Every structure is written in C-alpha cells, then in structure tokens.
Amino acid sequence: IGLPTACILASVGHTVRGVDTNPEVVRILRSRGLHIYEPGLRELLELVTESGRLIFSSEPSTADVFVLAVPTPLNDDKSANLQYVKAATLSIVPYVRAGNLVILESTVPPGTLKNTVVPLLEKSGLSVGKELFVAHSPERVLPGRILHELVENSRIVGGIDEESTERARELYATFVKGQILCTDSTTAETVKLIENTY
C-alpha cells in the first residue's frame, strides 16, 4: 500500500520520500521500475517521479508527515506480529520534530497506537498530543483497484486526540473523494479488524 499511497500523495502536489528497507526495491523504484503490479501504477509512478515530487530512499529524513505502511503478519499463535510496526516507528524517531504528524496505516490490534507506537515515539523527547500528533487511518482497498479505491472509498481517521484526528483528516482530504469519518485511534483500529473479518 505504501507505493500507491506515495504516488497518490505526490500526484496531488505533496513532495514525498518513499522509504523501503530493501535496497533492491529502492533500486528498482529509482529506475522507474515496479516491484509490484497494480493497474495504472506504472504510469502514475512515471508522472510523479518525472515531476520530482516522489523520490526513493532506504532511510527516512525530516518531514512534516510520516505515513507508516508496513506488513503486520500473524505469529504462529495467531497473535499480531508488530515487529515491522515497531521497527518503522523507531526508524523515524531521530527525524520527528515538533508539529509533525505520524500516521499508521497498517492493520493492527486495537490499542496498538496508544500502547506500542506512542511510547516508541516518545523516545524522541517530544510530547505526543502536544508537540507530535499521531493517528491511525487503515487502508481499505482491494488489489487491482487500489488507485481508484484510495481516492474514491470512504476513509476512517482516528487520532490519539482531536488535534491529531483533524491533522490527519486534512491530509487525506487532499485526495480522498469519499467520506472521511473521524473517530479515536482505538475505534479506527477496531473498525479495520471488523471490516477484514466481515
């Protein structure tokens, strides 16, 4: 979901740095190749990389907004494996600054944002909810229709506080044509799991 989201954000005028820990993926994307298939993605990637609004890196950098979209596989006991969420969060800690927004898009158990992501972000020394804003907005798209559904589907946005929710809503409003439903982070996490279960 990371690459299509990065391309969509860049296509509406945001300057985006796409980060992947796999150097081969970064190499492929820098050469305007694709490591995944999604209808329309190649053309959109070419457009936004030619414009200079989307670049790729193996390392994060300072930014206004950080969007974390990483896998959340299951452990053998069917519990959620949050190793990628934790690693991605820790990777941005050196780069977050006062006023930044961090959004987690990955499907996670209810309470993950408050109990896992926020404590890791607090290692930055910033006060979450006062200096650093954090929200969950799970992706809800189907392969083969990702670019269409990122824009047209309704979206749920849940922050750890009202300011975080509003800042995340403002970002998604730059490209989402569907309804943007605002709530708290735990509700947003729960809604995604219920939708997946259904």
Side-chain angles (χ1 to χ4, degrees):
I1 197 66
L3 180 60
T5 301
C7 288
I8 292 285
L9 284 165
S11 74
V12 297
H14 298 285
T15 301
V16 180
R17 174 185 294 262
V19 176
D20 198 291
T21 57
N22 184 333
E24 181 61 14
V25 169
V26 173
R27 185 195 65 74
I28 291 168
L29 293 172
R30 283 181 173 164
S31 65
R32 296 185 185 166
L34 285 177
H35 64 296
I36 60 171
Y37 173 74
E38 182 63 33
L41 185 56
R42 179 175 302 282
E43 296 79 9
L44 185 57
L45 176 65
E46 289 175 5
L47 177 72
V48 295
T49 52
E50 282 178 18
S51 72
R53 289 192 305 269
L54 177 57
I55 61 170
F56 299 100
S57 174
S58 295
E59 295 289 331
S61 67
T62 56
D64 297 322
V65 178
F66 296 85
V67 178
L68 307 178
V70 295
T72 49
L74 294 177
N75 292 313
D76 290 340
D77 66 357
K78 305 297 185 207
S79 62
N81 182 333
L82 298 177
Q83 70 177 4
Y84 299 111
V85 171
K86 292 175 183 177
T89 304
L90 286 171
S91 77
I92 66 170
V93 166
Y95 303 99
V96 293
R97 302 291 181 264
N100 285 172
L101 170 65
V102 177
I103 299 173
L104 178 64
E105 288 200 354
S106 304
T107 304
V108 292
T112 298
L113 209 65
K114 287 184 178 178
N115 299 325
T116 302
V117 174
V118 166
L120 294 175
L121 288 172
E122 287 176 335
K123 292 177 182 286
S124 67
L126 297 173
S127 173
V128 174
K130 292 189 173 88
E131 298 173 290
L132 187 60
F133 304 95
V134 185
H136 181 60
S137 184
E139 57 81 12
R140 23 184 335 267
V141 296
L142 295 174
R145 295 183 47 83
I146 291 176
L147 294 177
H148 172 78
E149 292 186 351
L150 277 174
V151 173
E152 299 296 333
N153 283 1
S154 293
R155 187 115 197 181
I156 191 159
V157 175
I160 57 152
D161 58 21
E162 288 184 16
E163 180 71 14
S164 296
T165 301
E166 179 55 23
R167 286 177 182 234
R169 186 203 64 75
E170 287 174 0
L171 175 70
Y172 288 105
T174 64
F175 69 89
V176 172
K177 293 182 181 174
Q179 201 176 7
I180 300 175
L181 306 165
C182 295
T183 186
D184 61 86
S185 61
T186 304
T187 301
E189 292 163 336
T190 305
V191 165
K192 172 61 173 171
L193 291 181
I194 291 171
E195 182 175 45
N196 280 8
T197 302
Y198 179 81

